[in-house]
């Protein structure tokens, strides 16, 4: 098949995907597992927004808002920001019009209390375009070998302008330290220092792993192999979303 035909087919597939509701998609996984990388790809394919609580918090810290001032020191230490500060922030974002056909949560929920809060929020039937079945979240855990995580986090660079994520080891930009899309100088996240990374990984083990069990018990959890190359992980994730959509359509 020639390239134009393949490109046309891909565009039609993406248009068809975008015309259907997806509902909530939750990405779970340790720091550095690839949640942000994959969330951007899902967002593009299905036309639903990526909601990264880490990104929203970082913007608040940068702007010096009340929330940012409260969260700043905790984030710099690699600990979790208190649940109460997160709820209003997430509720405000989910009430925006672009979430009505679905959204991807990247970095939330991170404690069993946050997961319970989200269930209650979704139960309210807030989402007019989503019938009840679709409102059940699709929960995907990205599994990555522990030693890989350190390399991924210490090698991460991101574009301060468009948010694109790179890695000096596995996904370098075409030009050293410059974004492929807009040429901005790439930056290193403040919490990607080795001592903070260890704290973040410990917080994940202690506080976020129970969220995995929470969704497994509800029969909503699927896992993908995050050690694979980015494109392969994306394929696995698309497969999970499609299979869950079909199952929810039947029920
Ligand atoms: P947050 O911003 O959510 O950070 P995180 O969970 O630690 O996750 P990361 O963003 O570090 O990793 P990722 O999984 O998105 O990986 P990425 O795609 O970038 O949270 C930061 C802080 O905010 C927290 O510590 C906490 O203080 C606070 N916070 C946020 N949400 C909160 C909440 N709900 N409650 C309380 N506190 C909260 O990939 C990493 C690297 O690997 C990149 O370089 C990428 O290029 C590379 N890579 C990705 N996939 C692959 C692959 N398949 N193969 C090779 N390399 C890959």
């Amino acid at each position: 098949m020639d390239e134009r035909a393949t490109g046309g087919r891909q565009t039609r597939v993406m248009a068809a995907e975008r015309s259907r509701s997806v509902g909530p998609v939750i990405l779970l996984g340790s720091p550095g597992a690839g949640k942000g990388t994959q969330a951007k790809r899902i967002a593009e394919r299905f036309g639903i927004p990526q909601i990264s609580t880490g990104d929203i918090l970082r913007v608040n810290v940068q702007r010096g808002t009340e929330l940012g001032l409260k969260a700043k020191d905790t984030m710099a230490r690699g600990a979790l920001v208190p649940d109460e500060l997160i709820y209003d922030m997430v509720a405000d974002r989910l009430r925006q019009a672009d979430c009505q056909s679905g959204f991807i949560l990247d970095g939330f929920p991170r404690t069993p209390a946050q997961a319970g809060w989200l269930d209650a929020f979704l139960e309210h039937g807030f989402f007019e375009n989503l019938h009840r079945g679709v409102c059940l979240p699709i929960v995907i855990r990205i599994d990555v070998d522990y030693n890989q995580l350190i390399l991924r986090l210490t090698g991460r660079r991101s574009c301060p302008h468009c948010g694109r994520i790179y890695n000096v080891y596995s996904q370098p930009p075409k030009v050293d330290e410059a974004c492929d899309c807009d040429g901005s100088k790439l930056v290193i996240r403040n919490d990607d220092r080795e001592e903070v990374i260890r704290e973040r990984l410990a917080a994940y083990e202690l506080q976020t792993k129970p969220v995995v069990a929470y969704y497994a018990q509800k029969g909503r959890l699927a896992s993908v192999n995050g050690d694979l190359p980015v494109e392969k992980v994306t394929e696995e994730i698309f497969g999970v979303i499609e299979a869950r959509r079909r199952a929810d359509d039947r029920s």
Side-chain angles (χ1 to χ4, degrees), residues 5 15 35 39 56 69 74 106 130 156 190 204 211 232 236:
K35 302 182 295 295
I56 302 174
L69 292 174
T74 312
D106 153 14
L130 301 176
R156 174 166 54 191
N190 187 36
Y204 176 80
V211 177
K232 292 279 175 208
E236 284 202 14

Side-chain angles (χ1 to χ4, degrees), residues 25-29 35 51-54 83 85-91 94 103-111 113-119 121 139 208 211 215:
V25 177
I26 297 173
L27 294 184
L28 296 178
K35 302 182 295 295
I51 299 173
S52 158
T53 44
D83 289 343
L85 292 182
I86 301 289
Y87 295 146
D88 284 353
M89 180 185 100
V90 173
L94 292 183
F103 48 84
I104 307 144
L105 288 170
D106 153 14
F108 181 89
R110 242 175 159 107
T111 61
Q114 290 184 10
W117 177 92
L118 180 65
D119 275 350
F121 188 87
V139 187
T208 309
V211 177
Y215 286 115

Side-chain angles (χ1 to χ4, degrees), residues 29-234:
S30 339
K35 302 182 295 295
T37 301
Q38 296 299 332
K40 287 178 178 48
R41 291 169 153 248
I42 303 169
E44 199 183 333
R45 166 78 166 234
F46 295 100
I48 54 175
Q50 169 197 12
I51 299 173
S52 158
T53 44
D55 284 351
I56 302 174
L57 286 168
R58 277 185 288 279
V59 168
N60 276 277
V61 169
Q62 207 177 10
R63 292 186 182 157
T65 65
E66 198 184 331
L67 170 63
L69 292 174
K70 286 181 181 159
K72 188 176 177 183
D73 291 346
T74 312
M75 291 176 76
R77 277 202 318 275
L80 292 190
V81 172
D83 289 343
E84 308 72 56
L85 292 182
I86 301 289
Y87 295 146
D88 284 353
M89 180 185 100
V90 173
D92 284 351
R93 183 62 189 88
L94 292 183
R95 287 195 183 104
Q96 289 173 27
D98 62 343
C99 292
Q100 284 293 316
S101 297
F103 48 84
I104 307 144
L105 288 170
D106 153 14
F108 181 89
R110 242 175 159 107
T111 61
Q114 290 184 10
W117 177 92
L118 180 65
D119 275 350
F121 188 87
L122 296 175
E123 276 282 312
H124 274 95
F126 188 84
F127 302 98
E128 293 156 21
N129 295 349
L130 301 176
H131 65 70
R132 215 181 131 67
V134 177
C135 221
L136 287 172
I138 300 172
V139 187
I140 304 172
R141 177 178 61 171
I142 307 177
D143 287 326
V144 174
D145 176 67
Y146 187 89
N147 295 321
Q148 271 299 317
L149 295 170
I150 309 277
L151 264 187
R152 286 196 184 179
L153 292 168
T154 51
R156 174 166 54 191
R157 302 289 182 272
S158 48
C159 174
H161 188 67
C162 71
R164 188 159 169 181
I165 303 167
Y166 298 86
N167 193 285
V168 293
Y169 308 115
S170 59
Q171 294 174 287
K174 288 182 187 128
V175 176
D176 230 13
E177 301 297 322
C179 178
D180 292 351
C181 303
D182 53 41
S184 303
K185 185 171 166 36
L186 301 181
V187 294
I188 301 178
R189 248 169 64 174
N190 187 36
D191 58 356
D192 277 348
R193 287 168 288 127
E194 208 159 324
E195 66 281 13
V196 185
I197 289 173
R198 295 204 185 273
E199 286 303 318
R200 288 163 59 204
L201 291 171
Y204 176 80
E205 288 296 316
L206 197 69
Q207 291 166 282
T208 309
K209 267 222 174 136
V211 177
V212 173
Y214 177 95
Y215 286 115
Q217 255 177 9
K218 289 177 177 277
R220 300 300 302 174
L221 184 75
S223 296
V224 298
N225 180 358
D227 286 319
L228 297 173
V230 171
E231 295 72 21
K232 292 279 175 208
V233 181
T234 309

